[in-house]
Amino acid sequence: MDILLSESIQQIAGKLQSWRRDFHQFAESGWFEFRTATIVADELHRLGYSLKMGKEVIKADSRMGVPSEQALQAQEQRAIKQGALTAWLPHFSGGFTGIVATLDTGKPGPTLAVRVDMDALDQNEAQIHQHLPYAEGFSSCNANMMHACGHDGHTAIGLGLAHILKKYESQLTGKIKLIFQPAEEGTRGAKSMVEAGVVDDVDLFIAIHIGLGVPQGELVCGSDNFFATTKIDVTYRGVAAHSGAKPEEGKNALLAAAHATLGLHAIAHHSEGSSRINVGVLRAGIGRNVIPDYALMKVETRGKTNEINEFVYHQALNIIDGAAKMQGVEYEIALMGAAQSSPPSPAWVDFIYQQAQQYISELSSVVKSRQQPAGSEDATYFMERVKANGGQATYLIFGAELSAGHHNERFDFDENVMTTAVKTLATIARHLPYFDAT
C-alpha cells in the first residue's frame, strides 16, 4: 500500500498546489472565510463525507474577536463576487465558517481527528517581483488580508488528505474527522468549536502546522512550546473638558491607559516559568486642548503554563482597575482571543515518530520535540478537551523552507511540504490498529 499511497499522492500534487494558490489569492481573515469554506464544503461533499457546518460546529457565544455585523455582511458580499459557492453560503453566514467532515469506515476502531486552519492575517502582501506569489500571479487580491502563516497550505493539505483517505477507505478502521477551523489568528476560533462538542467523541487528535522555523524535510511529532495566552481590548471612558479653561472638570482616559500600560509592563516574572505581557496598541485623544475621554488598549498576556498565564492575567486586571480608579474613569474589557498550554501525549508522539521514521522516506529527519521561539496556538483547546476525555493529542510541525518569516509581507513556503504532510497523516490513519494507548 505504501508505494501505491506515494503514487496516489503524487497524482494529486497538482491539485494541492492549485488549491493552495487559489486560497492564497483570495485570502480571507478570521470569521470572514466565506469563499474558502464554501469551496472546502463542496469538495468534501462531492467526496462523500458526512458534513457538519456553521452553527452545528461553532457555539455562537463562545466565539472571540468577532467582527461587526456590518463587516461580516460586507465580506460575505465580497466573497460572492470572488466566486463563493452560494449554495453553501447559508451555512456560514454571520461568520460561522467552520466545517467538520467525518469518514465512518464502519469498522471498529478509534476516532481520529485532524485539525487544519483556514484564515489569513490582517496584513497586506508584498507586491514586488522578488515575491513568488506576486511574480506568478497568485498574491492576495484582498486588501489587508494575506496568507502569511501557511494556513492556505494547511487547508490544501486537509483537502488532499480527504481525497487519499476516501480512496483507501476500505483499508481504514474507526472514524476520521477532518476539522477545518476558522479564526486561528488571534487564537479566536478553536474554543467555540470545542464548546460545540466537535471533539467530545475523539480518541486521538492531531493539529498541524508548516514551517515555524523547522528545517525543510524535518517532522516534529510533539511540539510543546506553545504559551497559554489571553488577548483583551480595554476601553477607558472618562469626561472630556477644555484643557486650559476647565481641566478640573475632565476625567482623563488617556492617563488611565498610560498608567495601566506602565503598570502592566512591570508585572513580576514568575519563578515557575516564562511569562509575557504586551500592550500592542494604545489609542486616545482628539486634540491637544481636550482632556481625552476615551482610550483603547490592546493587550495580551502569555505564560508557559495555564497557571502562569492566569497569574499574569489576574495581575493585569488589578492594574487596569487601579488605573481607572486613579483617574476616576469607567472601563470595560472585551475578551478577543485565548489559548492554553497543552503538552502532547507521550505514547501518541512515540507512535507517530515510529510511523514517520519507518514509512515516510521524504522526511530527512524525525524528532519528537524541538525547542523554538514560543508563540501561542488555539489548537491547544482541542488538545486539552481530548485529553480531559481520556484521549491523546499532539501537534505536528512539518518543516518547510520559507522565503521570509511567518507574519511577514513576503512570506511564502516550498509547496513540496504539502505532499509530505498528506502522506504522513494518511500513513498514521492507515496504521491506527497498531497503536497501543497503554
Side-chain angles (χ1 to χ4, degrees):
M1 182 230 180
D2 297 306
I3 295 176
L4 294 175
L5 177 60
S6 296
E7 291 176 353
S8 296
I9 292 171
Q10 285 306 311
Q11 289 169 7
I12 65 166
K15 281 189 174 183
L16 288 169
Q17 184 186 80
S18 178
W19 285 322
R20 181 262 163 156
R21 294 190 174 196
D22 178 75
F23 297 140
H24 191 97
Q25 183 175 2
F26 297 98
E28 298 177 301
S29 299
W31 306 122
F32 292 153
E33 306 95 330
F34 298 108
R35 182 183 182 276
T36 304
T38 64
I39 292 169
V40 169
D42 191 67
E43 189 72 24
L44 294 168
H45 173 72
R46 290 192 298 106
L47 287 171
Y49 280 78
S50 173
L51 298 185
K52 289 189 175 182
M53 297 166 285
K55 292 181 180 179
E56 292 180 293
V57 297
I58 294 175
K59 188 174 180 180
D61 59 7
S62 294
R63 292 191 297 171
M64 294 179 283
V66 182
S68 69
E69 188 61 37
Q70 181 180 8
L72 288 165
Q73 291 174 0
Q75 289 299 323
E76 188 169 341
Q77 291 304 307
R78 182 269 314 153
I80 292 171
K81 293 176 183 177
Q82 293 179 346
L85 304 176
T86 54
W88 294 100
L89 265 177
H91 295 283
F92 308 119
S93 190
F96 292 89
T97 44
I99 303 166
V100 177
T102 301
L103 178 63
D104 186 348
T105 69
K107 289 175 278 188
T111 296
L112 167 69
V114 177
R115 175 277 217 170
V116 296
D117 38 21
M118 301 187 291
D119 59 319
L121 282 144
D122 297 334
Q123 69 181 87
N124 290 313
E125 185 160 8
Q127 303 295 301
I128 55 176
H129 288 287
Q130 296 90 334
H131 181 51
L132 181 70
Y134 179 78
E136 298 202 2
F138 66 94
S139 61
S140 175
C141 65
N142 291 325
N144 203 37
M145 296 185 191
M146 178 196 172
H147 275 294
C149 200
H151 297 188
D152 49 346
H154 301 169
T155 306
I157 290 166
L159 289 178
L161 180 62
H163 271 255
I164 296 301
L165 294 177
K166 193 64 180 176
K167 183 170 184 177
Y168 291 96
E169 180 179 2
S170 64
Q171 300 180 40
L172 302 173
T173 58
K175 294 180 182 178
I176 301 171
K177 301 178 79 167
L178 303 178
I179 300 170
F180 291 82
Q181 182 205 315
E184 189 284 321
E185 299 295 352
T187 58
R188 296 177 288 160
K191 185 174 186 289
S192 60
M193 297 192 82
V194 169
E195 294 302 320
V198 302
V199 293
D200 284 352
D201 62 341
V202 169
D203 303 297
L204 301 166
F205 176 86
I206 293 171
I208 69 163
H209 210 296
I210 60 175
L212 297 183
V214 176
Q216 180 87 15
E218 180 171 298
L219 170 65
V220 180
C221 302
S223 180
D224 184 19
N225 210 34
F226 294 118
F227 279 9
T229 186
T230 308
K231 304 177 189 301
I232 57 175
D233 285 358
V234 182
T235 303
Y236 285 109
R237 300 188 187 278
V239 176
H242 193 290
S243 62
K246 291 286 186 178
E248 73 280 4
E249 293 182 358
K251 294 184 178 180
N252 199 317
L254 184 154
L255 280 182
H259 281 299
T261 298
L262 293 174
L264 291 170
H265 281 273
I267 291 175
H269 297 295
H270 201 287
S271 63
E272 295 182 6
S274 299
S275 63
R276 306 279 191 275
I277 188 157
N278 190 54
V279 180
V281 174
L282 196 163
R283 300 191 189 110
I286 58 172
R288 72 181 69 251
N289 62 346
V290 181
I291 302 295
D293 65 342
Y294 171 86
L296 170 68
M297 302 166 58
K298 293 182 179 288
V299 183
E300 68 170 16
T301 68
R302 298 183 197 253
K304 179 62 177 173
T305 66
N306 296 325
E307 293 74 20
I308 293 172
N309 183 62
E310 281 296 307
F311 165 81
V312 178
Y313 178 61
H314 285 294
Q315 291 291 101
L317 295 182
N318 290 334
I319 291 166
I320 291 163
D321 180 70
K325 290 175 179 173
M326 288 172 67
Q327 298 301 323
V329 301
E330 303 294 325
Y331 70 95
E332 57 189 40
I333 295 176
L335 180 63
M336 304 303 291
Q340 299 178 297
S341 63
S342 185
S345 305
W348 186 218
V349 171
D350 287 346
F351 175 78
I352 293 171
Y353 175 81
Q354 293 162 8
Q355 299 304 311
Q357 278 201 317
Q358 184 172 353
Y359 295 106
I360 313 301
S361 60
E362 293 82 354
L363 294 169
S364 58
S365 174
V366 183
V367 299
K368 293 183 180 181
S369 63
R370 195 177 206 274
Q371 289 300 312
Q372 61 207 68
S376 300
E377 234 288 8
D378 69 353
T380 49
Y381 274 108
F382 292 113
M383 294 174 68
E384 287 293 277
R385 178 62 65 90
V386 170
K387 292 192 296 180
N389 289 337
Q392 303 207 26
T394 193
Y395 195 102
L396 305 187
I397 302 175
F398 293 92
E401 183 178 342
L402 307 178
S403 63
H406 292 267
H407 298 206
N408 184 287
E409 64 175 5
R410 295 178 63 178
F411 177 87
D412 190 29
F413 62 88
D414 185 332
E415 293 171 328
N416 289 316
V417 69
M418 295 189 292
T419 54
T420 302
V422 172
K423 183 177 180 181
T424 303
L425 294 167
T427 299
I428 293 167
R430 168 67 178 81
H431 294 145
L432 280 183
Y434 303 110
F435 175 59
D436 182 359
T438 60

